[in-house]
Amino acid sequence: MQHFKLVIAGKAVEVARHADVLNPSTGEVVGQMPIATAADVELAIASAKASFPAWAAKTSAERAESLSAIAANIEAKSEELARLLTLEQGKPLCGLGSRFEIGGAVAWTRYTASLDLPVEVLQDTPEGRVELHRKPIGVVASITPWNWPVMIACWHIMPAIRTGNTVVIKPSPFTPLSTIRLAEIINEILPPGVVNIVTGENDLGAVLTTHPDIGKVVFTGSTPTGRKVMASAAATLKRLTLELGGNDAGIVLPDADPKAIAEGLFWGAFINNGQTCAALKRLYVHDSIYEQVCEALAAYASKVKVGDGLAEESVLGPLQNRMQFDIVSAYVRDAIEKGGRVLTGGAAGEGPGYFYPVTLIADIDHGADLVDKEQFGPALPIIRYTDLDDVIARANDNPAGLGGSVWSSNFDKAKAVATRLECGSVWINRHGAIQPNAPFGGVKQSGVGVEFGVEGLKELTTTQSVFV
Ligand code: NAD
């Protein structure tokens, strides 16, 4: 069993207390997470602050080179990282699991290296020249969740350091080990103090979000915690990017081909066992093809192998933790009590591990938790509709607004529906397929700001208008 340390000012820092991190497939101990004290967090912030002037003074090309070197170093250690991720998170090595996640982390890092924010000339006339400069903010706090811990850490860290900021990251206490290893790998490339990591319980988050030396918080997690982050950052008016929960709707139009869309619908909903912010969480299907879509989805689900993530044949693993397992179990029970028809799954077997079967619930409507709230697990409600305006209104009748999708054999018709959905990203004939050049973020209560691409990079900077 491995004993992990914090990384502060480029050094491994030992602490007095540790907590066991458990494998959700077996309940066995994977390794020991260091529990940082508030004093350790102070040290990490001070280290990031001290390294900021020199890092910010580097040229854009120098920082781009560092990011490319980090991408190569993550890639070189990708199998080791993927195994550690599977052990603590539960997701399989194969399919859309750990190897896929580490590959995504490398791709995002490389792409972020290639971006730039050069000085813009807004005016150059005899009356004067006006330039728009973008400057780093300072010390950025990154707070990450347990579902895609390595990839989301890279989404936070890479744009921050690309633009000249320094970072203190705090991962989720459920999955801290792969992020510690990531921070070690990053620190093999960077000057000491540019990226620091502190791990421990949730209370560390508040130390970061209230600290006067933190200029910006990038937070990915649940909407209730996002509200707390926003409130606690108010006293020092920090910049914020909040990537929060979703309850994405997918609408299947009557002209869709049920067999052709089944695989895309399935992985849109069940990627990472549904523990994905922009997964398909409510599926609306037109009455005329409702039964065919249910049948095609159930047929696809019956072929999916759920098991221990280390087994090469598994394509889905367990839920990550007891809390999420209990939420999914309760929402499915409630759906069945409210008349939902179980097409497959419906209840967990006996342990060990937080395994929950792929669950499809038909004949269900708004008013059930599985429809109204974020299940964040492998249970998809399938809702029948007849009227297009009504289904669009119902899809939008939710405080969340992260993603959405429309499924149809007619692209123009689908696009006309897609642009009426109230969400930050919308897909046609697929769901959740994010990419590093397209801004990603939530509207309504799914978040504030965007990540990815040039728009995402700008969020890690302040502007300065220079009048010459
Ligand atoms: P969570 O809100 O429980 O925890 C997220 C992080 O916040 C953890 O590191 C946690 O330790 C920390 N935290 C807890 N309390 C805090 C506080 N008071 N102040 C500061 N930090 C605090 O979320 P989770 O359960 O880890 O993740 C699942 C949620 O994340 C889901 O709702 C999911 O939709 C959302 N999510 C959103 C995106 C996105 O891009 N929009 C991506 C992934 C996950």
Side-chain angles (χ1 to χ4, degrees), residues 144-147 170 202 219-222 225 243-245 277 374 376:
T144 54
W146 47 260
N147 58 344
K170 191 211 79 64
N202 292 343
F219 171 84
T220 302
S222 63
T225 312
E243 296 286 4
L244 309 179
C277 49
E374 185 187 36
F376 218 59

Side-chain angles (χ1 to χ4, degrees), residues 212-461:
D213 288 340
I214 298 286
K216 160 137 194 164
V217 179
V218 185
F219 171 84
T220 302
S222 63
T223 301
T225 312
R227 288 191 193 103
K228 288 186 201 162
V229 169
M230 196 172 205
S232 67
T236 46
L237 286 172
K238 295 188 196 317
R239 275 72 193 138
L240 289 174
T241 300
L242 303 176
E243 296 286 4
L244 309 179
N247 194 350
D248 293 10
I251 300 177
V252 180
L253 301 184
D255 64 5
D257 175 350
K259 285 208 174 97
I261 63 173
E263 182 173 8
L265 284 174
F266 184 87
W267 287 112
F270 291 94
I271 181 169
N272 201 29
N273 245 334
Q275 301 168 120
T276 299
C277 49
L280 173 57
K281 290 172 182 150
R282 296 175 282 154
L283 181 62
Y284 297 84
V285 181
H286 191 266
D287 182 49
S288 60
I289 55 166
Y290 187 83
E291 291 306 332
Q292 292 98 302
V293 171
C294 287
E295 270 165 38
L297 267 174
Y300 190 89
S302 68
K303 291 186 277 185
V304 168
K305 177 89 183 89
V306 181
D308 189 313
L310 286 182
E312 294 281 340
E313 67 274 13
S314 301
V315 289
L316 289 178
L319 285 165
Q320 204 284 324
N321 55 65
R322 162 65 64 183
M323 173 197 72
Q324 206 58 45
F325 179 89
D326 289 343
I327 290 173
V328 174
S329 305
Y331 287 11
V332 170
R333 272 198 309 274
D334 170 72
I336 295 169
E337 276 163 25
K338 294 201 163 104
R341 171 166 52 110
V342 178
L343 302 176
T344 185
E350 296 296 312
Y354 303 128
F355 288 98
Y356 198 92
V358 167
T359 295
L360 296 166
I361 306 273
D363 299 341
I364 183 163
D365 212 332
H366 289 229
D369 286 345
L370 192 58
V371 177
D372 298 344
K373 298 183 183 170
E374 185 187 36
Q375 67 275 51
F376 218 59
L380 179 68
I382 310 174
I383 304 145
R384 196 186 296 265
Y385 79 89
T386 48
D387 180 76
L388 185 63
D389 288 333
D390 176 58
V391 75
I392 293 171
R394 284 200 285 161
N396 289 336
D397 183 21
N398 195 283
L402 195 55
S405 59
V406 182
W407 304 72
S408 164
S409 52
N410 182 320
F411 174 76
D412 290 331
K413 215 191 267 179
K415 203 162 80 168
V417 176
T419 51
R420 290 174 66 189
L421 294 180
E422 295 168 356
C423 49
S425 299
V426 66
W427 293 272
I428 291 166
N429 292 338
R430 52 188 182 154
H431 195 111
I434 49 169
Q435 50 190 62
N437 58 351
F440 174 75
V443 301
K444 302 200 286 189
Q445 293 186 30
S446 282
V448 173
V450 293
E451 295 183 285
F452 312 164
V454 172
E455 294 307 315
L457 209 58
K458 286 178 182 168
E459 300 219 0
L460 277 308
T461 64

